[in-house]
Amino acid sequence: MTNLISTFNEILKREQERNEILNEVGLAGFSLSDEEVFKHAVDAFVLKVQEKAVEAVNGRTP
Amino acid sequence: MAELLDEVTFVKRLLSDNWSASALSLYNSGKIATNLPVPKIIDVRSIEPQEGRRVDADSNNVIVIFEDSSSTTYPTIDYAVRNETFTFTIHIRVLHRRDFPDNTTSRDRLRILYRIVRHILETNSLSPTITTTSGGSTFTDSAEVIKLTSRSEANDRKKRLLGYKLSVEMKRMGRSI
């Protein structure tokens, strides 16, 4: 569980940083709202968990 | 064969170098209604402040590219050959402006941008290659496969942004170490 939370926090931080960069360089019009950033992080997290599940089923790690 | 480009730059160049040809091809065959020029294609790691300000003033659409993951395997017993898989997110974002002639302008533009990106990826799916001329020498950078693996809607009502988030996978195989 701790690993899952930590993985999600890493992904959320990555998404926030990507968005902040757009704000900082004058692309604020194309940056996302906080809610959308969170949603993107959740989507990326779900994909990551799915990948790990497939790896576990296949019996190998990357 | 020199590999000069990192993978995000490779995808960025693939889109920008092939944009005009794909847009013209789709336009001439009646698959898109407007031949849109190359939008600003952004790698957030390398944009500069002035670049951003200019984009905000001039453009209503951008494409942002991120690398999401990369994995490497060594399929031979002597670890002499490397296979690499990269996944990217290509996020097409269209700003909906109140002064657009109708409510579907942004949606139509998003659809056209998506079709052009898809066309570029499909026509370059096997052995995508980027040629760079530097200091009088020509270098070629390539991969074995690049393909579109999924598309999801990524709209942001608060910011009046319409978007498609595309997942793209690229493989480089059999590269000697």
Side-chain angles (χ1 to χ4, degrees):
Chain A
M1 182 58 96
T2 310
N3 278 345
L4 287 176
I5 293 169
S6 146
T7 302
F8 177 73
N9 285 338
E10 277 174 24
I11 291 171
L12 180 60
K13 193 176 170 194
R14 182 190 74 186
E15 295 294 324
Q16 286 170 334
E17 282 173 353
R18 286 173 171 178
N19 207 48
E20 279 167 16
I21 290 171
L22 290 178
N23 281 326
E24 286 166 9
V25 298
L27 284 163
F30 292 102
S31 68
L32 303 176
S33 61
D34 291 343
E35 290 86 343
E36 282 302 313
V37 170
F38 189 82
K39 200 173 143 196
H40 282 255
V42 170
D43 290 344
F45 174 69
V46 169
L47 279 177
K48 187 93 176 172
V49 171
Q50 283 173 345
E51 278 172 17
K52 293 289 178 196
V54 169
E55 283 167 12
V57 169
N58 290 340
R60 64 182 176 83
T61 53
Chain B
M1 179 171 55
E3 286 190 13
L4 297 173
L5 307 175
D6 70 89
E7 289 72 27
V8 174
T9 307
F10 182 90
V11 175
K12 186 179 169 186
R13 282 280 311 276
L14 189 72
L15 293 179
S16 59
D17 289 6
N18 293 285
W19 189 275
S20 299
S22 280
L24 188 62
S25 168
L26 290 169
Y27 180 71
N28 286 340
S29 61
K31 291 174 181 162
I32 56 174
T34 311
N35 183 358
L36 290 177
V38 188
K40 192 69 197 169
I41 302 173
I42 296 165
D43 172 1
V44 290
R45 303 164 309 161
S46 62
I47 46 178
E48 295 171 6
Q50 289 305 320
E51 192 178 13
R53 287 193 192 93
R54 185 166 53 78
V55 172
D56 252 4
D58 297 347
S59 176
N60 297 309
N61 32 268
V62 300
I63 294 178
V64 189
I65 304 176
F66 307 114
E67 180 180 307
D68 288 325
S69 70
S70 82
S71 63
T72 307
T73 58
Y74 297 90
T76 60
I77 198 165
D78 61 355
Y79 285 70
V81 171
R82 181 177 66 243
N83 291 341
E84 294 170 308
T85 302
F86 305 92
T87 60
F88 306 94
T89 294
I90 297 179
H91 197 156
I92 306 170
R93 300 180 187 181
V94 176
L95 197 58
H96 180 72
R97 285 173 35 187
R98 293 177 196 278
D99 59 344
F100 278 163
D102 54 56
N103 286 334
T104 62
T105 303
S106 310
R107 189 193 67 191
D108 295 343
R109 183 171 294 180
L110 177 64
R111 189 182 67 240
I112 291 169
L113 291 168
Y114 166 69
R115 286 186 180 174
I116 296 170
V117 170
R118 185 180 64 184
H119 188 269
I120 293 169
L121 293 172
E122 288 175 348
T123 52
N124 290 279
S125 59
L126 285 179
S127 302
T129 302
I130 298 297
T131 303
T132 305
T133 303
S134 174
S137 302
T138 300
F139 300 99
T140 302
D141 200 359
S142 66
E144 271 57 51
V145 178
I146 189 164
K147 63 179 179 180
L148 178 64
T149 54
S150 72
R151 182 192 84 180
S152 56
E153 272 197 32
N155 305 321
D156 192 333
R157 290 176 66 88
K158 273 194 175 174
K159 300 291 296 282
R160 303 180 72 80
L161 279 172
L162 297 182
Y164 277 143
K165 205 162 65 167
L166 314 180
S167 290
V168 170
E169 183 182 84
M170 183 171 86
K171 287 181 183 287
R172 285 189 165 135
M173 294 180 283
R175 302 297 168 115
S176 56
I177 59 172

